[in-house]
Amino acid sequence: EAGVTQSPTHLIKTRGQQATLRCSPISGHTSVYWYQQALGLGLQFLLWYDEGEERNRGNFPPRFSGRQFPNYSSELNVNALELEDSALYLCASSKGQGGYGYTFGSGTRLTVV
Amino acid sequence: KQEVTQIPAALSVPEGENLVLNCSFTDSAIYNLQWFRQDPGKGLTSLLLIQSSQREQTSGRLNASLDKSSGRSTLYIAASQPGDSATYLCAVNYGGSQGNLIFGKGTKLSVKP
């Protein structure tokens, strides 16, 4: 069974540009979660999508947005990039609300210069 | 506020030693609790998932316990090996409309040969 896949692995952008990160969940998982892990900080919850809808959102500005497609894959968009957006972005998937646990991908390392 | 705390923040032990990592959470109404391992710059690997109705789970040299009433979980690693060196993260799932996991800041483990 394929795990959670994220692309790209690394992304370098200039301040003010937009970044798009992608995530494909495990087959059969309908929920996708996005987390940010900045250097030296813990994992911060960004967004939760389930059945194509945004279900919950962490304490991040509106320039962090995303969507979930009919095949349950998801996209995270970060507009007007700032230097402090440089971080490892992790995607996780679960069946429903995580009763069977969460499975994480390997992450996208975003560097803003 | 729902918070997860992990003690110690860092731990260094000689190879072969048994060790215990601690996790505490402020709100005991959890749905389940999951222990992860993270290698530097990588994604999260799930180690053990404990449902709120369970007291412990075992996988190989790992044993995780859960005491909901006191808001604590421990991860016991038997006969530690250098390959166990990583950051160990405890994450609590409260279910419902929240959906996301709440993470501790992790314990960075170093096992010396």
Side-chain angles (χ1 to χ4, degrees):
Chain A
E1 176 184 83
V4 176
T5 57
Q6 291 188 245
S7 63
T9 305
H10 294 88
L11 191 58
I12 300 175
K13 291 286 186 178
T14 303
R15 190 170 50 183
Q17 284 188 317
Q18 179 196 39
T20 298
L21 288 63
R22 297 181 175 84
C23 173
S24 292
I26 287 176
S27 177
H29 287 192
T30 61
S31 278
V32 171
Y33 311 80
W34 288 94
Y35 288 82
Q36 182 196 65
Q37 188 176 37
L39 193 62
L41 298 180
L43 278 140
Q44 304 293 317
F45 168 66
L46 271 164
L47 290 159
W48 169 30
Y49 291 97
D50 182 56
E51 298 285 359
E53 305 254 345
E54 182 181 302
R55 300 295 185 184
N56 197 10
R57 182 183 182 86
N59 188 25
F60 280 84
R63 57 191 188 82
F64 286 84
S65 65
R67 54 181 170 166
Q68 186 178 35
F69 299 98
N71 66 353
Y72 302 113
S73 66
S74 176
E75 194 174 87
L76 173 69
N77 294 296
V78 188
N79 294 318
L81 284 164
E82 300 179 1
L83 296 178
E84 52 264 35
D85 296 333
S86 295
L88 181 66
Y89 288 83
L90 292 167
C91 170
S93 73
S94 74
K95 284 185 185 179
Q97 293 174 12
Y100 298 96
Y102 296 70
T103 303
F104 280 77
S106 299
T108 293
R109 170 72 62 186
L110 172 64
T111 303
V112 183
V113 298
Chain B
K1 182 182 176 185
Q2 294 163 333
E3 293 183 341
V4 178
T5 303
Q6 291 188 246
I7 295 173
L11 181 63
S12 182
V13 300
E15 182 177 2
E17 197 161 289
N18 302 326
L19 57 102
V20 174
L21 308 181
N22 296 291
C23 171
S24 61
F25 41 94
T26 53
D27 183 349
S28 61
I30 71 170
Y31 188 45
N32 56 42
L33 183 149
Q34 201 165 354
W35 282 92
F36 295 91
R37 166 189 172 135
Q38 186 176 31
D39 293 291
K42 305 293 185 184
L44 275 60
T45 300
S46 179
L47 298 173
L48 289 163
L49 170 70
I50 309 180
Q51 302 294 346
S52 62
S53 58
Q54 297 175 319
R55 297 283 295 185
E56 65 179 293
Q57 281 285 346
T58 298
S59 175
R61 294 183 294 109
L62 305 179
N63 175 277
S65 69
L66 175 64
D67 184 342
K68 264 183 50 175
S69 61
S70 66
R72 295 179 189 275
S73 176
T74 62
L75 179 66
Y76 174 83
I77 302 177
S80 58
Q81 304 170 356
D84 295 331
S85 298
T87 295
Y88 290 79
L89 294 157
C90 168
V92 175
N93 176 11
Y94 287 99
S97 61
Q98 186 170 312
N100 56 292
L101 291 171
I102 298 179
F103 282 87
K105 294 196 184 308
T107 294
K108 186 174 183 179
L109 173 65
S110 177
V111 181
K112 307 292 187 186

